[in-house]
Amino acid sequence: MTYYYFGTVKYLSFSAFLFGWMHLGGGGFPEGCVWLANPFYFTGLFLLCRQKNNTAVLLLMVSSILALSFLAFGNLTMTKSGRIAPIIQLNTGHFFWLASIILAFFSSLYLRVKTIEVCY
């Protein structure tokens, strides 16, 4: 992601993955909520491996909604004082992250439907 904050700043996707949770307490509550897509995603994948498809579908759906909601953001809150930085560009890492979450959601839906068909 690239944003403007006293000059153009390129923010690495891996850094966003590791430190995005800090927005929850650091003044950027909506951005922090988007980061919660990661724990929902990994928990959903874990439950999918354990064949708990109903719960996995729900968690991966929430993760997808949270991840997609970031596309609506035009600005990021950068400090506790409320300083805002406009987002200039979303890079490839963001779209790979988004695609993996959406693919996992649709895969879980497929497995859920397949399980229902086998039962009948």
Side-chain angles (χ1 to χ4, degrees):
M1 168 178 42
T2 305
Y3 60 90
Y4 185 81
Y5 187 69
F6 297 116
T8 303
V9 177
K10 288 196 178 224
Y11 194 66
L12 298 175
S13 301
F14 190 67
S15 297
F17 173 73
L18 289 178
F19 303 113
W21 61 272
M22 291 182 183
H23 279 282
L24 280 170
F29 185 73
E31 295 95 340
C33 289
V34 169
W35 186 86
L36 290 174
N38 293 326
F40 284 126
Y41 171 67
F42 289 118
T43 306
L45 289 180
F46 177 76
L47 291 174
L48 204 57
C49 290
R50 297 281 181 198
Q51 297 180 351
K52 298 189 184 303
N53 294 341
N54 291 335
T55 311
V57 167
L58 178 65
L59 288 175
L60 290 168
M61 180 180 64
V62 170
S63 179
S64 297
I65 291 168
L66 287 171
L68 284 168
S69 71
F70 188 74
L71 295 174
F73 284 83
N75 299 311
L76 291 174
T77 307
M78 299 309 297
T79 62
K80 286 185 179 182
S81 66
R83 182 175 285 274
I84 294 175
I87 298 172
I88 299 170
Q89 177 184 8
L90 295 173
N91 297 328
T92 309
H94 171 78
F95 292 107
F96 279 130
W97 172 72
L98 188 61
S100 69
I101 291 175
I102 291 172
L103 181 67
F105 170 61
F106 283 116
S107 298
S108 68
L109 275 177
Y110 172 75
L111 290 173
R112 175 67 182 118
V113 169
K114 186 177 172 185
T115 305
I116 291 172
E117 290 176 1
V118 170
C119 292
Y120 289 110

